[in-house]
Amino acid sequence: MINSDDLRFFRTVASNTSLAATARALNVTPPSITQRLQILENKLKLKLVDRHKRSISLTEEGVFLAERAALILAEMDDMHEAIYSQRNEVAGCLKVLAPLGFGRKYIAPLITEFQQQHQNLSVELQLSDNPDWSEKNSWDIIINIGELRDSTLKLSTLATNKRFLCASPQYIDKYGMPENPAQLRQHHCIALKENNEDVTMWKMQHRNTGSTESIRIIPQLSCNDGNVIKQWAMDGYGIISRSEWDVAKEINQGHLVRLLSDYELPQADIVALLNTDQRARAERTARFLTRLKEVIGAKPWYE
């Protein structure tokens, strides 16, 4: 008779391309993986895996077991979560997806703090500026900044977040301060390539008149890493458009100067996206969302 440990072991085997990769994932030796797989096959009197020179493939029976194992283990996790929920305890696995730079700076520290407070909880954090939205339902919470990719998810605003045009004092001393959006075409502009957005079209609205202007910049420098383009701007190489959360500190310290302050760029609010409504939300998700609102809502980038 096989048990839940066998199912978890085989799920790991099925999710890797070789027994060596499985051994690395479980931090054991390859011979021990081979031995354990043989014991499992002997228990079932079935061949589950075809071994190739540098890879493995599942037999028909192996595919069936992997699929059933995933369902059974998910049901067991749900059962454990339900038991803990009856006691108002936080347990299970909290899965969070967040943008790379923001997630590294603000979400990762929050997650370690939250997990340390709830010892029956494990947390999976993935950081990506170009996530696979087809897997949206596999996450408990998705942190999103700016344009929303999916309107079917439940939205909870964590903090308002403006976008600023800015450059270093050295750049302004050398090239001058643009007085209107059209003059941006005469300046060195830097683009951040992320989320498949049209990053070379800068749209802005005059604060007093409400008139809008769209300027197509021709960036001399571009990168998919926000830290890189911010450093380029501070080094005097050009003008950037960045989120308030990312440049507020540098503006306050004088390393960057905000440009065209009479104009506003589209907001890029920081939100949490969830695939369940409040009543169906697991305790771990509900409590972490509350903590997110407390910390991110206070705008720690101004501290």
Side-chain angles (χ1 to χ4, degrees):
M1 179 71 68
I2 63 174
N3 56 36
S4 61
D5 287 339
D6 292 326
L7 295 179
R8 293 187 190 281
F9 165 71
F10 190 68
R11 183 177 63 178
T12 305
V13 172
S15 64
N16 285 280
T17 57
S18 68
L19 296 184
T22 302
R24 288 193 294 272
L26 295 176
N27 197 27
V28 297
T29 62
S32 68
I33 296 296
T34 300
Q35 182 181 27
R36 187 170 180 183
L37 180 58
Q38 288 173 343
I39 292 173
L40 180 58
E41 289 180 324
N42 289 337
K43 279 185 180 181
L44 294 170
K45 296 181 172 56
L46 291 170
K47 186 177 182 181
L48 302 173
V49 172
D50 286 323
R51 285 85 159 168
H52 309 294
K53 188 174 182 179
R54 298 194 177 187
S55 64
I56 59 171
S57 60
L58 302 184
T59 63
E60 185 176 346
E61 292 80 5
V63 171
F64 177 79
L65 179 61
E67 291 174 348
R68 293 294 299 169
L71 292 173
I72 292 169
L73 292 171
E75 289 178 359
M76 291 179 66
D77 290 341
D78 288 344
M79 178 185 67
H80 290 152
E81 169 63 22
I83 292 171
Y84 281 112
S85 293
Q86 291 296 318
R87 296 158 52 185
N88 291 322
E89 290 189 19
V90 175
C93 181
L94 176 68
K95 296 185 177 183
V96 181
L97 174 64
L100 187 59
F102 185 82
R104 183 190 296 121
K105 190 165 186 177
Y106 294 109
I107 303 303
L110 261 182
I111 278 179
T112 51
E113 171 201 279
F114 190 71
Q115 194 282 323
Q116 289 298 301
Q117 293 171 353
H118 305 285
Q119 295 299 309
N120 292 316
L121 178 74
S122 63
V123 184
E124 177 183 339
L125 171 65
Q126 180 172 316
L127 302 179
S128 175
D129 286 330
N130 191 24
D132 183 356
W133 284 89
S134 65
E135 298 180 356
K136 62 186 180 183
N137 291 321
S138 64
W139 302 99
D140 295 307
I141 296 180
I142 299 173
I143 309 298
N144 189 81
I145 301 177
E147 181 183 353
L148 293 178
R149 297 293 176 181
D150 194 312
S151 60
T152 65
L153 296 170
K154 313 299 180 186
L155 183 150
S156 181
T157 300
L158 303 178
T160 58
N161 177 53
K162 295 181 179 180
R163 284 191 174 109
F164 297 150
L165 294 180
C166 45
S168 70
Q170 301 95 308
Y171 177 88
I172 295 168
D173 288 342
K174 186 174 182 179
Y175 296 102
M177 180 87 73
E179 297 180 359
N180 56 66
Q183 290 185 4
L184 290 172
R185 297 191 182 98
Q186 303 165 16
H187 280 266
H188 302 293
C189 295
I190 302 172
L192 173 65
K193 293 188 174 182
E194 62 178 354
N195 295 334
N196 297 318
E197 293 182 9
D198 185 357
V199 297
T200 63
M201 179 64 76
W202 289 358
K203 301 177 182 179
M204 54 203 78
Q205 183 177 43
H206 196 277
R207 189 188 303 273
N208 297 324
T209 67
S211 61
T212 59
E213 294 193 46
S214 297
I215 302 299
R216 174 73 68 183
I217 64 164
I218 302 177
Q220 294 189 329
L221 293 169
S222 62
C223 183
N224 66 335
D225 188 313
N227 285 334
V228 170
I229 73 156
K230 182 168 68 173
Q231 188 61 54
W232 281 343
M234 289 192 294
D235 290 341
Y237 293 114
I239 298 171
I240 58 172
S241 169
R242 282 305 283 146
S243 280
E244 174 183 3
W245 73 263
D246 191 34
V247 295
K249 179 179 178 181
E250 286 75 15
I251 291 174
N252 287 342
Q253 293 177 344
H255 300 307
L256 291 171
V257 176
R258 187 178 173 188
L259 310 179
L260 298 176
S261 56
D262 287 338
Y263 291 83
E264 293 185 343
L265 281 72
Q267 290 225 151
D269 289 347
I270 303 165
V271 303
L273 303 175
L274 309 102
N275 53 34
T276 56
D277 61 29
Q278 187 171 355
R279 290 171 297 178
R281 216 162 279 161
E283 190 72 14
R284 60 178 179 267
T285 305
R287 291 206 194 178
F288 188 63
L289 178 61
T290 298
R291 186 61 181 145
L292 279 172
K293 289 180 176 180
E294 291 172 351
V295 175
I296 305 304
K299 296 192 173 184
W301 39 94
Y302 282 110
E303 294 177 358

